[in-house]
Amino acid sequence: MPTFDDSDFGFAIEQIKSKDLGRIRSNAGSTGEESMSNSVEIPATRSSIADPTPYMHQLSLTSSQKSRRGSRNSFGASLPIPKLKRHSRLSSTGSAYDGSFQRPSMPPPQPSREILAAEMQDLSDEKVRAAKDMAFVFDIDGVLVHGDRLIPEGQRALEILNGDNELGIKIPHIFLTNGSGKPEAARIEQLSKILHQPISMEQFIQSHTPMRALSDYYNTVLVVGGEGYRCREVAEQYGFNDIVVPNDIIAWDPTVAPYRILTDEDRATSRPRDFSKINIEAIMVFSDSRDYATDIQIIMDLLQSEHGRFHTKAKDPISQRIPIYFSQGDLLCPTEHPLPRMSQGAFRIGLEAMYKALTGEDLERVVYGKPEPATYKYADEVIMNWMDIIHNDEKLPRNIYMVGDNPASDIVGGNNYGWNTCLVRTGVFQGGENDETNPANFGVFANVLDAVKTAIKKEIGQDFNFDWSNARVDDLRKDAADIAIE
């Protein structure tokens, strides 16, 4: 679906500047200048899959919205994403005058694969430059794993990128998933065990990871989705101060959701209080809802309330409406089930249709995750940071390959952002030669390993070998010596 600029709607709208975001922050937050020093701003947008069915609203702006463009839930405001802090490159290893490595107060280093790889790379300068000027961005579910089950080709692809190749070089790669609902550390630990490959926190982006920047703008928030209280834990780690979950509200007033009966454990772990005297400032759907009926009822009550206060009804459903954020917009996601299952996008469509039916207004909302621009802008930051860590070179490689299984998120998002896109047949996509609506621009592959090998051969050379061999180092040493003698 095409995107639109403000000028397309018949009136000019003043762009909100970075310095103006401070005035729309929560009173409980820090000053605008303090928070923005660690943020990157991009214009907020609506989802590129916002009109795939008649149940989703049209994206035209009405004249009633013109005066609200500076509000927190306005698409005219900048959408903050966190700016990563760079890692120090301090090292205890120095170089002596004769070129040999020296480690203060330690014995000389012994020959190792790392040293041999360094020699190999010194002798293959052109290939090394090409390897450092490319990067991979992987979706996870349907590309590397199915739920908790490994896709075998995924392990081998990561082994090659982690250095099991003729150069012994690490080829930059990160993980960009619309999965959510767990703290990043827990998800990384789980994936590392499944894939049998190390994954660093600095390589990993979940759909709600960029939402940590919103903790600077809101104090009391409703967090929805996920299993148990995991999303509350995620929000706490992101720095949100006052987090409310649906169980807290039901424990306070069971009539809010008459079909939901809390267990004794639910009551013991909830945090009820008088929400008729508290303003909830924003709604954040961090992960897939586990109880559509309850979550939609609570969200609808808040969206129609006066500034997020329960037991109230807004006189103006637009100006008094609090903002709502979704961590991603996928309609479907691959699981261990033979057919893809409904995801957070389906929940959002239902909520939008309900809001339209009850108020007559379109629901304005912000969506993160693929294919939204905020996620790709954040991915640039993560790639540059990872380049700095593994190659001491903080730059964005020119040739970036997105490997995904979902044409409506992985592929369309990568295409729109100027990446090379690779569509694999191990997840959502089970079509013909390519997806007709959102075709991958680099190609369609049976699995992730085929995609990785094809991309590497294109960038580094058709003769590139995907296995490490110590013997190859000796061969190159001999060739170099023969050339020197000649």
Side-chain angles (χ1 to χ4, degrees):
M1 177 177 177
T3 56
F4 300 96
D5 294 323
D6 290 330
S7 58
D8 295 326
F9 299 107
F11 51 85
I13 297 171
E14 183 179 356
Q15 179 68 32
I16 303 299
K17 295 185 172 63
S18 302
K19 62 184 180 61
D20 294 330
L21 278 173
R23 61 182 170 81
I24 63 173
R25 295 164 50 86
S26 164
N27 292 334
S30 57
T31 63
E33 292 182 358
E34 292 172 349
S35 67
M36 297 313 296
S37 62
N38 194 36
S39 294
V40 176
E41 295 173 23
I42 66 168
T45 62
R46 294 179 185 269
S47 172
S48 62
I49 58 168
D51 194 20
T53 77
Y55 296 103
M56 299 187 70
H57 63 68
Q58 299 297 318
L59 301 187
S60 60
L61 292 174
T62 64
S63 57
S64 63
Q65 293 174 296
K66 185 175 181 180
S67 61
R68 296 191 307 105
R69 298 288 285 188
S71 67
R72 279 180 296 192
N73 57 332
S74 166
F75 284 91
S78 292
L79 180 63
I81 61 173
K83 184 176 176 65
L84 294 176
K85 296 179 179 178
R86 300 301 180 200
H87 290 256
S88 169
R89 300 303 306 174
L90 297 177
S91 172
S92 61
T93 301
S95 179
Y97 292 111
D98 61 0
S100 62
F101 287 109
Q102 300 293 323
R103 297 179 296 176
S105 304
M106 297 179 68
Q110 299 301 310
S112 66
R113 165 144 171 192
E114 286 72 23
I115 294 176
L116 293 175
E119 291 185 21
M120 175 71 79
Q121 292 164 28
D122 287 342
L123 295 170
S124 306
D125 186 57
E126 185 175 341
K127 288 185 177 181
V128 169
R129 283 199 304 270
K132 290 182 178 180
D133 208 20
M134 69 181 302
F136 289 90
V137 180
F138 293 109
D139 179 41
I140 295 175
D141 294 304
V143 175
L144 301 171
V145 300
H146 285 139
D148 292 333
R149 181 166 53 87
L150 170 69
I151 296 176
E153 292 84 2
Q155 179 180 342
R156 180 57 192 146
L158 296 184
E159 289 173 349
I160 292 171
L161 299 182
N162 282 329
D164 190 7
N165 56 65
E166 73 169 57
L167 298 176
I169 193 171
K170 291 184 178 181
I171 298 176
H173 60 283
I174 68 168
F175 305 88
L176 179 60
T177 175
N178 273 359
S180 58
K182 287 184 178 180
E184 281 80 0
R187 181 69 169 138
I188 287 169
E189 181 180 4
Q190 177 192 30
L191 281 171
S192 297
K193 291 179 179 178
I194 296 172
L195 294 166
H196 306 290
Q197 289 294 300
I199 298 176
S200 169
M201 183 79 77
E202 285 77 13
Q203 290 174 281
F204 190 72
I205 308 172
Q206 293 192 104
S207 62
H208 49 56
T209 303
M211 293 173 72
R212 68 174 67 242
L214 297 173
S215 63
D216 288 333
Y217 294 86
Y218 304 109
N219 185 54
T220 303
V221 297
L222 173 71
V223 172
V224 176
E227 298 179 6
Y229 294 99
R230 285 181 176 173
C231 285
R232 193 205 296 269
E233 180 185 349
V234 172
E236 288 173 344
Q237 293 183 7
Y238 287 176
F240 288 95
N241 294 318
D242 187 11
I243 303 155
V244 180
V245 298
N247 277 3
D248 300 337
I249 297 165
I250 301 169
W252 160 66
D253 181 1
T255 66
V256 169
Y259 306 116
R260 172 68 184 277
I261 306 299
L262 295 185
T263 66
D264 291 340
E265 182 181 356
D266 289 335
R267 292 187 179 280
T269 53
S270 63
R271 302 173 185 175
R273 47 190 149 144
D274 190 351
F275 290 104
S276 68
K277 298 179 180 178
I278 297 170
N279 285 357
I280 292 177
E281 300 172 22
I283 303 165
M284 300 188 183
V285 183
F286 267 33
S287 187
D288 291 3
S289 170
R290 266 51 173 185
D291 184 349
Y292 272 42
T294 298
D295 291 344
I296 285 180
Q297 182 66 72
I298 289 174
I299 291 173
M300 286 300 303
D301 285 348
L302 283 176
L303 290 174
Q304 297 177 88
S305 68
E306 289 188 347
H307 305 294
R309 184 168 292 205
F310 277 98
H311 293 178
T312 66
K313 188 78 170 180
K315 298 178 180 63
D316 181 350
I318 296 182
S319 65
Q320 294 180 310
R321 184 178 63 208
I322 63 174
I324 180 169
Y325 299 85
F326 294 86
S327 69
Q328 54 103 342
D330 281 354
L331 298 175
L332 301 172
C333 69
T335 67
E336 294 182 357
H337 190 79
L339 297 176
R341 302 290 84 190
M342 290 189 298
S343 189
Q344 193 182 135
F347 176 79
R348 175 173 55 82
I349 290 172
L351 185 65
E352 289 174 348
M354 184 68 70
Y355 185 85
K356 177 74 171 182
L358 292 179
T359 68
E361 300 288 344
D362 292 332
L363 178 61
E364 189 180 54
R365 74 285 187 276
V366 173
V367 184
Y368 286 81
K370 297 171 292 187
E372 304 303 322
T375 292
Y376 292 86
K377 185 69 174 178
Y378 185 63
D380 281 348
E381 287 282 314
V382 173
I383 293 171
M384 287 191 292
N385 190 56
W386 189 241
M387 279 287 294
D388 190 27
I389 291 172
I390 65 174
H391 291 311
N392 194 18
D393 188 6
E394 186 183 322
K395 73 169 188 177
L396 188 66
R398 288 187 301 173
N399 306 303
I400 298 179
Y401 290 82
M402 173 78 220
V403 184
D405 68 298
N406 191 337
S409 60
D410 303 323
I411 303 306
V412 68
N415 287 343
N416 290 341
Y417 206 64
W419 289 350
N420 303 299
T421 51
C422 310
L423 183 58
V424 296
R425 299 181 182 275
T426 50
V428 170
F429 178 73
Q430 298 292 330
E433 294 185 3
N434 207 330
D435 185 71
E436 294 181 2
T437 306
N438 301 298
N441 59 39
F442 188 67
V444 179
F445 302 89
N447 54 62
V448 62
L449 182 58
D450 286 351
V452 166
K453 285 185 173 181
T454 303
I456 289 177
K457 285 188 175 183
K458 177 181 182 295
E459 301 298 338
I460 304 180
Q462 293 296 320
D463 62 339
F464 190 78
N465 195 300
F466 296 102
D467 295 294
W468 168 262
S469 172
N470 288 347
R472 192 174 296 110
V473 181
D474 295 332
D475 291 341
L476 282 179
R477 283 173 173 168
K478 182 178 182 300
D479 292 343
D482 292 343
I483 292 173
I485 293 173
E486 293 175 1

